[in-house]
Amino acid sequence: MSRSYPMRDLPQQVTVHEVGPRDGLQNEAAIVPVEVKAEFVDRLADAGHKVIETTSFVHPRWVPQLADAEELLSRLHRRPGVRYPVLVPNLRGLERALAHGVDEIAVFASATETFAAKNLNRSLETQFDMFEPVVAGALEAGVRVRAYVSMCFGDPWEGDTPIPQVVAVGERLLGLGCYQLSLGDTIGVGTPGHVTALIDAFGSPDRLAVHFHDTYGQALGNTLAALWAGVTTVDASTGGIGGCPYAESATGNLATEDLVWMLRGLGIDTGLDLDKLVTTSTWLAERLGRPSPSRVVQALSKG
Ligand code: HMG
Ligand code: MG
């Protein structure tokens, strides 16, 4: 199917921020060999991705799957025009990232007290003591900084997250000098009207991105709501893999292929080659030992 049916008030171009190698793999129990990770990242670049979130410089005991961050970066075949951001929570992580020539990082905050404790061993307030020097140090070193805020819609321990609480954390991160704020629905409980209300509460969509996990099957509907509200960067993960080890109810991210199928149908350009994405997902699924959860991958790989 190649015809597109554009709708009113949608952007003409969308940037897909691919998080498969980081968010997708971080929850895998069996350690994926570093050469598979390196090939995965290279294949994503070959499929047309311009932003590939590659790994995390977190504590290796907290996320053992990504303990090979240094080695992975040394194996990449970096392509001009492709960005390879990494997650960095603290100064120790920044030091490690800078030693490996990283030119973009992301800090990741929580909108709720409980998740700040579980994911970062900090409080809602003291997480900023950790991020402030990281953002300042990265900017000083000429490294771009993205920010995430997690549990933007709800949290397994505290229920619905109040919108003003999310906006307060998000604006503080943007105020530090982060170029973009990705709104994380870590456990996938958001619905489209909630997405619109949250984006509207920020006053402008210009520096916002969205990051939907698909636990309740809402990720594509939520994405459409975000696009209508003016967002033009959408996070997604190859084949819909992923989750957060510190939020058990978090399942996979919005699948990149499902997103690209929808955007292509709307006539929105992403620069991505869907056939290559599907081939990469199928290749990765074989290595992970289970089929991709993406409906589009399942449909297209049946031939
Ligand atoms: P902590 O235990 O409070 O760390 O953990 P600390 O600062 O007290 O340091 C303790 C020791 O760890 C020290 O060693 C440090 O050097 C070392 P010692 O001096 O005792 O020998 N250490 C490190 N070593 C290597 N790399 C580091 C590092 N930091 C400290 N970076 C910390 C605090 C933030 C480190 C820990 O909580 C952590 O690593 N958390 C990361 C959890 C994580 O990665 N979660 C998943 C990503 S978030 C996510 O998936 C959500 C997202 O997708 C959006 C969404 O879906 O909502 C982004
Ligand atoms: Mg996530």
Side-chain angles (χ1 to χ4, degrees):
M1 294 217 254
S2 56
R3 258 204 85 172
S4 62
Y5 296 85
M7 294 173 82
R8 276 191 302 274
D9 302 328
L10 288 178
Q12 290 185 339
Q13 267 189 327
V14 164
T15 300
V16 178
H17 184 108
E18 171 62 44
V19 297
R22 194 279 301 171
D23 205 344
L25 293 184
Q26 72 182 7
N27 219 23
E28 287 294 314
I31 301 294
V32 178
V34 69
E35 59 274 13
V36 171
K37 293 176 180 170
E39 182 174 344
F40 179 28
V41 174
D42 286 342
R43 281 172 173 261
L44 293 171
D46 190 48
H49 276 294
K50 295 285 179 262
V51 196
I52 306 168
E53 197 168 277
T54 303
T55 186
S56 297
F57 284 91
V58 296
H59 196 297
R61 262 201 316 273
W62 282 64
V63 184
Q65 180 64 254
L66 304 183
D68 57 8
E70 278 88 351
E71 194 182 345
L72 175 58
L73 290 192
S74 69
R75 284 174 179 252
L76 292 186
H77 301 101
R78 288 169 186 274
R79 297 184 190 210
V82 180
R83 286 150 44 207
Y84 299 88
V86 299
L87 252 55
V88 167
N90 56 12
L91 281 175
R92 175 80 189 97
L94 180 65
E95 202 180 288
R96 291 173 59 205
L98 291 180
H100 283 78
V102 163
D103 54 14
E104 178 171 331
I105 65 162
V107 292
F108 48 104
S110 171
T112 69
E113 199 66 73
T114 314
F115 190 62
K118 289 191 183 284
N119 199 45
L120 296 164
N121 198 23
R122 298 291 181 277
S123 68
L124 208 45
E125 184 54 38
T126 60
Q127 62 180 343
F128 285 98
D129 300 341
M130 189 161 72
F131 300 138
E132 279 166 15
V134 172
V135 178
L139 294 178
E140 209 176 292
V143 166
R144 269 157 63 98
V145 188
R146 188 184 208 225
Y148 282 98
V149 57
S150 287
M151 302 295 179
C152 285
F153 297 87
D155 157 308
W157 310 278
E158 299 178 24
D160 276 5
T161 312
I163 286 178
Q165 197 170 309
V166 180
V167 174
V169 172
E171 283 185 341
R172 217 164 143 183
L173 290 163
L174 287 171
L176 296 179
C178 299
Y179 77 91
Q180 187 173 67
L181 180 72
S182 180
L183 302 174
D185 188 3
T186 322
I187 57 167
V189 291
T191 45
H194 195 164
V195 172
T196 309
L198 179 60
I199 293 169
D200 286 352
F202 274 93
S204 160
D206 290 354
R207 289 164 75 194
L208 300 180
V210 287
H211 179 103
F212 297 121
H213 285 260
D214 203 24
T215 319
Y216 291 81
Q218 303 298 299
L220 268 185
N222 288 344
T223 300
L224 194 53
L227 297 179
W228 257 316
V231 169
T232 58
T233 300
V234 180
D235 298 2
S237 164
T238 311
I241 57 170
C244 178
Y246 296 98
E248 269 175 30
S249 42
T251 59
N253 291 75
L254 167 64
T256 308
E257 299 79 2
D258 297 9
L259 173 64
V260 171
W261 179 270
M262 180 178 82
L263 295 176
R264 202 176 69 168
L266 288 164
I268 297 174
D269 180 29
T270 58
L272 290 165
D273 180 329
L274 185 56
D275 291 337
K276 284 188 178 175
L277 294 175
V278 170
T279 308
T280 298
S281 274
T282 311
W283 168 88
L284 183 68
E286 279 163 15
R287 267 127 205 101
L288 298 181
R290 57 174 195 287
S292 157
S294 157
R295 304 285 283 273
V296 169
V297 172
Q298 287 168 26
L300 293 182
S301 53
K302 281 195 186 113

